[in-house]
Amino acid sequence: MSSARERLTRLLSLVPYLDAHPGADLEETAAYFTIDSDTLIDDLQLLFVTGRPGHMPDDLIDASWEGGKVYISNAEEVSVPVRLSAEEAGVLVLALELIDTLPGLDTEAVRTAAQKLRLAAGENLRTPVEVSPIPANEELMAFLKHAIDSEAAVQIDYYVGSRDELTRRIIAPSKLVPGADWYLDAWCYAAQAPRRFALSSIRSWTPAAHPPLAVSNTQSSAREVTMTLSPAGAWLADELELRQREYFANGEPSVRIRFLVHSVDWLSRFLLCHADVITDIDDSEAVEAALTRLD
């Protein structure tokens, strides 16, 4: 049985549909709304007590379905398809603006959809739809998107307000995150750990090379790692937000992921934390480092 909310949503769509299709077949209409004919008849009976305030006969919608053909009348005021409110349209436009900043998407399609929604909502509501995406340096955003797509390292001068200090770091950007400010998730070579940077605190930026990493008295540069996860560990592919993944069936569905690693130390700890769901990995150095940690 439909919830009250689902039924209301269906009725708001049903009236304009029947107004545009007089004599619609009862069974076909029920199938169109993915309900059975008995449920549709219940909806039509409810329309008899629906209409304008006053509840006089001329105020209520009239519906008939004799002979399997559905007709409605006196429904002009509710026969227009439901429109988005200004707030709903604004939220959708803002969401599209934020999606436009993400890497690996067809930005032209996203921008076109946002523009069409903005125009349609403004015309239908007769209310300007104004949204203000989080401000950010467009040149910096474009630079970071390219670095994320190409998995490149960058050098930034980053202001740390708590210490009133301008620091210089080499990082490997992985993701842009909207919030009160725009943030950048990246591997920080100085901290040898992932860090989140506020874009408003980045004072300058330039391309850089991935520096060598000192781990367990050995030098190791960034490398690409291929790992296979069991079905129970498939969620890690989403946690790491990887674009390169491959699902396959080998008894049970598994996922093979491929990603860039900037620290053997980090990878060895990752292996120890998730050893029960990692079925294969092509990095013997990380495996040895993990085993050393167990000794």
Side-chain angles (χ1 to χ4, degrees):
M1 180 178 291
S2 302
S3 67
R5 186 169 186 171
E6 290 172 340
R7 191 178 191 189
L8 175 60
T9 301
R10 186 171 64 246
L11 285 168
L12 289 173
S13 300
L14 178 62
V15 173
Y17 176 86
L18 294 175
D19 186 65
H21 301 83
D25 182 82
L26 181 70
E27 296 289 343
E28 291 179 359
T29 303
Y32 180 83
F33 287 93
T34 64
I35 56 177
D36 56 38
S37 56
D38 289 339
T39 302
L40 177 57
I41 291 174
D42 286 341
D43 287 347
L44 294 172
Q45 290 175 332
L46 179 60
L47 292 179
F48 278 120
V49 292
T50 304
R52 295 170 297 187
H55 306 294
M56 299 300 291
D58 290 342
D59 295 323
L60 303 178
I61 296 173
D62 185 31
S64 65
W65 53 93
E66 295 297 329
K69 302 296 182 182
V70 184
Y71 297 90
I72 64 169
S73 59
N74 203 30
E76 291 77 10
E77 292 190 9
V78 288
S79 62
V80 179
V82 180
R83 304 296 185 186
L84 293 172
S85 68
E87 292 79 9
E88 291 169 334
V91 168
L92 287 175
V93 172
L94 180 57
L96 287 170
E97 296 280 0
L98 296 180
I99 289 173
D100 183 38
T101 67
L102 299 178
L105 296 177
D106 183 349
T107 56
E108 182 60 31
V110 173
R111 292 171 185 172
T112 300
Q115 182 63 18
K116 288 181 178 178
L117 179 60
R118 194 191 304 269
L119 291 174
E123 291 172 359
N124 293 334
L125 300 169
R126 299 179 183 177
T127 303
V129 178
E130 296 294 341
V131 295
S132 299
I134 302 166
N137 184 306
E138 293 184 4
E139 183 181 352
L140 174 58
M141 289 286 282
F143 175 82
L144 293 175
K145 287 181 191 178
H146 180 267
I148 293 170
D149 286 339
S150 59
E151 298 183 333
V154 302
Q155 177 178 288
I156 60 172
D157 287 334
Y158 188 76
Y159 176 69
V160 182
S162 60
R163 303 198 303 265
D164 191 25
E165 178 185 2
L166 188 64
T167 62
R168 176 160 293 178
R169 310 168 188 230
I170 294 180
I171 61 175
S174 61
K175 180 178 62 172
L176 286 162
V177 182
D181 189 359
W182 275 103
Y183 297 92
L184 174 69
D185 284 350
W187 177 266
C188 178
Y189 284 95
Q192 285 291 288
R195 290 289 185 266
R196 175 165 289 187
F197 302 94
L199 264 62
S200 60
S201 295
I202 297 177
R203 298 294 185 255
S204 65
W205 55 92
T206 185
H210 290 287
L213 300 169
V215 180
S216 302
N217 299 320
T218 63
Q219 294 294 319
S220 174
S221 61
R223 85 278 301 278
E224 193 173 63
V225 172
T226 300
M227 181 184 299
T228 303
L229 304 171
S230 70
W235 62 273
L236 287 171
D238 295 321
E239 186 75 10
L240 294 170
E241 299 192 353
L242 303 176
R243 295 192 294 275
Q244 297 186 41
R245 66 179 77 181
E246 175 188 1
Y247 294 93
F248 61 96
N250 185 13
E252 291 186 344
S254 301
V255 57
R256 182 181 292 115
I257 59 177
R258 187 178 301 108
F259 58 105
L260 195 67
V261 173
H262 306 282
S263 166
V264 174
D265 184 56
W266 175 88
L267 182 56
S268 66
R269 288 185 278 112
F270 182 86
L271 292 176
L272 290 174
C273 289
H274 305 290
D276 57 329
V277 297
I278 298 173
T279 61
D280 184 56
I281 183 172
D282 66 355
D283 195 310
S284 58
E285 185 180 358
V287 173
E288 291 176 4
L291 292 175
T292 300
R293 284 177 172 272
L294 292 174
D295 294 338

